[in-house]
């Protein structure tokens, strides 16, 4: 009866037994009472005070207390202020900076030794306050927990669903999970982000044309040609009216171009209309050249980079890109699987599941994005992919995606001690320890990793000298790399002149042969 009514979901329900003294142990230690905080057994054989037994159960702890003993008063929470050294079963996975541990063996569901992390610091403080110990293990399948068609869950969530552990460490709040586990209050939120290799520098030989967009270059070209035609038309109309000589078409076009290149001819039109047109054209060219020159200096000094990808929508629109996800199958996977947004569904269908080292190898090669969690990847990048001088080749996209309420600890359904642990967590949250610990752990992990990977002092000094050679008083010294576009342009001009020379020579030779043939005839 107690199993059918799901008594374990109602931990503060008072349960009264009537029976003989021989049934005490069987009744009070029944599995249906695993979460019951208050139970009383009345032994009818001898109604003496010593036979009134009470049971105090703290989520799996069963014991007996005589009514003559001093029982704390209260609504049920008082008895969970001291767990009297009880050992809880905890299930968790590694998720730095929130949770980190060292596996004791390679076996499935092996025990682990906790390492310094946010959840371990919280657990240590709470266990000291409430007087309990714990045994920590990983789930049998090394997954966080995703739903199956049968209604069962995998990983950490499945372990708690089937009451194989008392509670877990860090676990994402999700509506579906809340049907099979209970959560504590949220103590941190971590969004989903994308990482990829930093945008590549644009080709430096295009620095000469990069200050203006294609549309602006087209506008400058069209305006210069149009200015030559307008000047030719003005001069032609003036020459017809005055009887004087105007400017030929080719000279008019070259005249306007020479002003644009800041090499104007010595003379200007003698008529007023021509002078006004040239004056305004000169002002236009001055503004264009000043803007171009200042922008060119910036592009030569700080080479531009290709556009960064900052959202899933941009990612799916790029040709040749791939993306992946680690095989943890947790809240992120569940969010992608159930999301109805077309872009998110496209991302989910094209997702490549690989381990973290394989993902990062492809990320560093380029045109591959890893979809992961913000704080976890920031700590890994700082520790593994940042050099002694703070440079990292990894780019974190700006767009962030929140797929759940945040992180909490999860408990098997109906545990009566969740409230006591939750109150201790709230004290830590209100004191500001969580954010302080997070910054401290990420910073210390990055510092420790850089110290382990730091080269000798000679390499550091060589790098500093190289930086001093490249920068003089904070100014960038231009090199062949910066001005390669100028030399390409010069080579293009020489090649064009050579082709014209060859064409002129061929035309001259052909013309001379033709004239010789005519004279001979």
């Amino acid at each position: 009866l107690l199993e059918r009514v799901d008594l374990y979901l109602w931990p503060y329900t008072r349960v009264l037994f009537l029976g003989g003294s021989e049934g005490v142990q069987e009744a009070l230690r029944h599995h249906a009472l695993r979460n019951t905080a208050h139970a009383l057994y009345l032994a009818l054989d001898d109604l003496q005070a010593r036979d009134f037994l009470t049971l105090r159960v703290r989520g799996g702890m069963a014991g007996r207390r005589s009514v003559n003993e001093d029982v704390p008063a209260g609504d049920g929470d008082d008895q969970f202020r001291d767990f009297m050294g009880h050992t809880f079963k905890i299930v968790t996975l590694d998720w730095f900076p929130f949770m980190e541990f060292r596996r004791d063996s390679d076996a499935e569901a092996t025990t682990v030794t906790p390492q310094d992390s946010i959840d371990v610091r919280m657990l240590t403080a709470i266990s000291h306050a409430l007087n309990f110990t714990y045994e920590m293990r990983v789930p049998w399948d090394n997954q966080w927990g995703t739903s199956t068609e049968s209604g069962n869950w995998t990983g950490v969530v499945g372990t708690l669903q089937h009451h194989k552990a008392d509670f877990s460490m860090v676990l994402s709040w999700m509506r579906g999970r809340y049907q099979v586990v209970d959560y504590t209050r949220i103590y941190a939120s971590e969004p989903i982000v994308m990482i990829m290799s930093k945008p590549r520098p644009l080709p430096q030989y295009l620095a000469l044309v990069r200050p203006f967009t294609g549309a602006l270059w087209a506008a400058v070209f069209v305006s210069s040609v149009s200015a030559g035609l307008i000047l030719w038309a003005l001069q032609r109309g003036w020459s017809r009216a005055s009887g004087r000589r105007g400017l030929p078409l080719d000279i008019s076009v070259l005249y306007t171009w020479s002003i644009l290149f800041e090499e104007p001819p010595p003379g200007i039109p003698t008529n007023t209309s021509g002078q006004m047109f040239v004056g305004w054209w000169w002002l236009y060219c001055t503004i264009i050249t000043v803007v171009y020159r200042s922008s060119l200096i910036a592009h030569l000094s700080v080479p531009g980079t290709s556009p960064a990808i900052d959202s899933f929508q941009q990612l799916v629109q790029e040709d040749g890109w791939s993306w992946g996800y680690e095989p943890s199958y947790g809240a992120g996977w569940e969010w992608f699987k159930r999301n109805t947004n077309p872009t998110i569904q496209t991302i989910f269908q094209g997702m490549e599941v690989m381990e973290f080292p394989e993902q990062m190898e492809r990320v560093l090669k380029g045109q591959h994005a890893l979809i992961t969690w913000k704080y976890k990847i920031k700590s890994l990048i700082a520790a593994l992919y940042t050099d002694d001088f703070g440079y990292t080749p990894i780019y974190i996209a700006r767009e962030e995606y929140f797929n759940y309420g945040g992180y909490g600890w999860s408990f098997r359904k109906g545990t009566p001690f969740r409230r006591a642990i939750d109150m201790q967590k709230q004290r830590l949250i209100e004191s500001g320890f969580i954010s302080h610990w997070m910054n401290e752990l990420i910073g210390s992990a990055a510092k420790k990793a850089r110290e382990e990977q730091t080269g000798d002092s000679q390499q550091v000094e060589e790098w500093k000298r190289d930086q001093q050679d490249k920068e003089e008083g904070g100014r960038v010294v231009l090199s062949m790399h910066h001005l390669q576009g100028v030399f390409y342009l010069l080579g293009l001009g020489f090649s064009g002149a050579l082709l014209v020379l060859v064409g002129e020579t061929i035309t001259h030779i052909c013309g001379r042969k033709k004239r010789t043939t005519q004279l001979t005839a």
Side-chain angles (χ1 to χ4, degrees):
L1 172 65
L2 296 181
E3 286 288 1
R4 286 198 300 270
V5 299
D6 293 331
L7 178 65
Y8 72 94
L9 296 177
W10 310 94
Y12 295 107
T13 299
R14 270 66 173 177
V15 180
L16 174 65
F17 290 94
L18 300 176
S21 58
E22 68 280 359
V24 173
Q25 294 294 329
E26 180 183 1
L28 295 183
R29 295 186 180 276
H30 195 276
H31 184 65
L33 272 68
R34 57 189 177 277
N35 290 336
T36 301
H38 310 282
L40 176 66
Y41 192 105
L42 299 181
L44 300 181
D45 304 85
D46 181 9
L47 297 182
Q48 299 295 324
R50 64 177 180 276
D51 295 320
F52 285 81
L53 301 175
T54 62
L55 173 69
R56 306 188 67 198
V57 182
R58 300 188 186 93
M61 297 180 292
R64 292 184 299 175
R65 181 185 294 271
S66 170
V67 295
N68 292 330
E69 297 183 51
D70 184 17
V71 180
D75 62 355
D77 280 346
D78 290 338
Q79 61 177 306
F80 300 115
R81 292 177 180 177
D82 185 354
F83 290 96
M84 297 182 292
H86 175 69
T87 301
F88 284 111
K89 296 179 181 179
I90 300 177
V91 58
T92 188
L93 282 175
D94 194 3
W95 196 256
F96 189 83
F98 297 97
M99 186 66 210
E100 186 175 29
F101 54 73
R102 185 182 67 253
R103 290 174 179 261
D104 296 334
S105 71
D106 295 331
E108 293 183 357
T110 180
T111 57
V112 298
T113 302
Q115 304 295 310
D116 190 22
S117 52
I118 293 176
D119 280 27
V120 172
R121 292 186 180 187
M122 284 196 296
L123 182 62
T124 301
I126 295 173
S127 63
H128 287 167
L130 299 180
N131 187 23
F132 66 82
T133 60
Y134 54 86
E135 178 189 72
M136 193 175 293
R137 293 179 178 271
V138 294
W140 78 95
D141 55 0
N142 293 312
Q143 294 184 15
W144 291 102
T146 186
S147 59
T148 63
E149 295 180 357
S150 63
N152 293 317
W153 288 70
T154 63
V156 173
V157 180
T159 303
L160 296 172
Q161 179 188 16
H162 298 290
H163 294 205
K164 295 180 179 179
D166 296 308
F167 61 95
S168 77
M169 296 287 94
V170 55
L171 192 69
S172 301
W173 270 70
M174 290 184 62
R175 182 186 299 272
R177 290 176 175 177
Y178 199 75
Q179 307 301 317
V180 294
V181 298
D182 290 331
Y183 280 100
T184 61
R185 63 196 69 218
I186 293 172
Y187 63 94
S189 295
E190 185 175 16
I192 293 176
V193 296
M194 291 187 301
I195 67 166
M196 61 204 73
S197 61
K198 281 188 174 178
R200 310 284 182 176
L202 295 174
Q204 195 62 18
Y205 61 84
L206 295 177
L208 293 177
V209 299
R210 203 172 295 132
F212 290 168
T213 62
L216 184 53
W217 276 118
V220 171
F221 176 77
V222 171
S223 63
S224 60
V225 174
S226 301
L229 294 174
I230 294 173
L231 179 60
W232 170 75
L234 289 174
Q235 291 301 99
R236 184 177 177 83
W238 173 79
S239 64
R240 286 186 176 182
S242 64
R244 298 183 184 183
R245 183 180 178 184
L247 291 176
L249 177 60
D250 56 343
I251 298 300
S252 298
V253 174
L254 292 176
Y255 191 97
T256 55
W257 279 28
S258 63
I259 296 176
L260 181 62
F261 288 113
E262 299 184 325
E263 289 293 337
I268 61 175
T270 57
N271 59 312
T272 304
S273 60
Q275 292 174 353
M276 289 187 61
F277 178 81
V278 170
W280 284 107
W281 175 250
W282 211 317
L283 177 62
Y284 166 83
C285 292
T286 301
I287 297 174
I288 289 293
T289 53
V290 168
V291 172
Y292 173 78
R293 187 183 296 112
S294 60
S295 183
L296 177 62
I297 293 173
H299 280 82
L300 290 176
S301 304
V302 184
T305 58
S306 56
I309 298 177
D310 286 311
S311 67
F312 287 155
Q313 186 172 3
Q314 292 176 337
L315 181 62
V316 298
Q317 291 174 352
E318 291 290 332
D319 294 331
W321 274 77
S322 59
W323 51 88
Y325 192 83
E326 296 176 68
S328 56
Y329 301 104
W333 184 267
E334 196 74 12
W335 180 71
F336 279 106
K337 183 173 69 173
R338 297 181 179 275
N339 202 300
T340 57
N341 185 288
T343 301
I344 303 299
Q345 278 300 303
T346 302
I347 291 290
F348 180 69
Q349 292 169 5
M351 197 174 288
E352 301 179 17
V353 179
M354 294 177 290
E355 295 291 345
F356 181 75
E358 301 176 64
Q359 296 279 7
M360 292 306 299
E361 182 179 354
R362 294 188 58 180
V363 165
L364 293 173
K365 288 181 180 180
Q367 292 195 318
H368 182 78
L370 170 61
I371 300 172
T372 183
W373 302 91
K374 182 178 180 179
Y375 299 127
K376 176 194 175 185
I377 199 62
K378 283 183 68 175
S379 62
L380 290 175
I381 290 174
L384 304 176
Y385 299 96
T386 303
D387 62 17
D388 303 330
F389 313 106
Y391 172 78
T392 176
I394 306 300
Y395 175 76
I396 301 178
R398 296 181 180 179
E399 192 79 21
E400 298 179 351
Y401 300 87
F402 288 87
N403 67 319
Y404 61 97
Y407 287 145
W409 290 359
S410 59
F411 289 70
R412 55 183 174 81
K413 275 289 185 179
T415 48
F417 51 82
R418 177 175 62 91
R419 187 185 303 176
I421 293 178
D422 207 10
M423 291 301 297
Q424 295 294 327
K425 283 186 64 177
Q426 181 63 21
R427 294 177 181 178
L428 294 174
I429 295 171
E430 292 177 352
S431 66
F433 277 112
I434 306 301
S435 57
H436 172 72
W437 286 342
M438 182 179 298
N439 295 331
E440 183 181 21
L441 287 166
I442 293 177
S444 60
K447 182 179 179 181
K448 180 179 178 181
R450 283 197 294 268
E451 288 176 352
E452 294 175 353
Q453 299 175 7
T454 297
D456 55 30
S457 58
Q458 182 178 358
Q459 292 177 334
V460 176
E461 291 300 324
E462 289 179 357
W463 184 86
K464 291 181 178 179
R465 286 196 298 269
D466 184 58
Q467 290 299 107
Q468 292 174 355
D469 293 340
K470 291 182 179 180
E471 299 184 5
E472 297 179 357
R475 294 174 295 177
V476 176
V477 180
L478 299 181
S479 63
M480 285 290 295
H481 173 72
H482 295 91
L483 295 177
Q484 56 182 286
V486 176
F487 292 94
Y488 287 146
L489 184 62
L490 179 62
L492 181 62
F494 284 169
S495 301
L498 180 60
L499 291 176
V500 172
L501 175 61
V502 171
E504 289 179 343
T505 302
I506 293 175
T507 303
H508 179 70
I509 293 174
C510 292
R512 187 172 58 182
K513 287 184 177 180
K514 184 176 180 180
R515 289 193 299 271
T516 303
T517 302
Q518 291 176 349
L519 290 174
T520 303

